[in-house]
Amino acid sequence: MVYKVNPDSFGFLVTDVARLIRAEMDRRIGEAGLGLTPAEGRTLSHAARAGVVRQNVLAERMGVEAMTLSAALDRLEAQGLVERQPDPTDRRAKLVHVTEKAGEMLERMAPISASIRADASLGITPQDWDRLLDLLKTVRATLSAAKSEPAAREAASG
């Protein structure tokens, strides 16, 4: 039996756009001569976005395995761009945070991100682009709330 799947469904569109952005970011970071691999650039960006965060939470947010993240963090730590410290609330966990030196690298990466956004928004009015971002934020908030509701219900009933 052959199943017909809509290649332009929400899930496929979001996945395709995310994959294309990631591939382009990886390519441009690799070409920029920053001294970072694309994985290190992604890790640094996500760590900066998260602030002080547990290493396992950062891996989950990035959608990578803990060991994959650990290797990238090892290299970033060796360059002085991130630090890992024991979590005072859980001796087994490590907290990751970016260093001041990371700010310089993130500033060097910013034009790369900006150029990808400019390319992605070609042919879209600024108003439509802003509306797209607002809609995506709404979807993210809705899905995040839906993800936490079962846990909240379980905690309340337990």
Side-chain angles (χ1 to χ4, degrees):
M1 175 174 232
V2 177
Y3 294 97
K4 185 167 177 139
V5 176
N6 179 2
D8 291 330
S9 68
F10 171 77
F12 282 133
L13 286 171
V14 170
T15 300
D16 289 348
V17 169
R19 177 182 46 80
L20 291 165
I21 289 170
R22 179 177 172 166
E24 191 59 21
M25 189 72 179
D26 287 357
R27 185 183 70 76
R28 293 184 193 191
I29 284 177
E31 291 176 352
L34 299 176
L36 292 179
T37 66
E40 292 163 1
R42 263 192 318 281
T43 300
L44 186 61
S45 293
H46 280 275
R49 175 187 181 209
V52 178
V53 64
R54 279 189 181 178
Q55 187 169 321
N56 65 321
V57 172
L58 183 59
E60 180 182 322
R61 288 181 184 171
M62 291 179 64
V64 299
E65 295 295 322
M67 291 305 297
T68 301
L69 177 64
S70 185
L73 287 172
D74 287 345
R75 294 187 302 270
L76 290 171
E77 197 166 33
Q79 294 181 54
L81 300 173
V82 299
E83 290 180 350
R84 288 182 278 193
Q85 299 173 342
D87 184 337
T89 64
D90 182 349
R91 292 182 305 135
R92 300 165 296 166
K94 295 281 187 194
L95 295 176
V96 177
H97 67 91
V98 297
T99 64
E100 283 189 39
K101 184 177 177 183
E104 298 167 23
M105 183 63 72
L106 291 163
E107 285 180 21
R108 292 175 64 196
M109 291 170 56
I112 298 169
S113 298
S115 70
I116 292 170
R117 279 191 305 278
D119 290 348
S121 65
L122 284 174
I124 301 173
T125 67
Q127 297 81 10
D128 283 346
W129 184 257
D130 289 343
R131 180 75 176 133
L132 172 62
L133 295 179
D134 287 342
L135 291 168
L136 288 171
K137 289 174 192 174
T138 299
V139 170
R140 178 179 62 190
T142 301
L143 291 174
S144 293
K147 180 181 173 184
S148 64
E149 283 178 15
R153 283 194 301 264
E154 186 176 307
S157 66

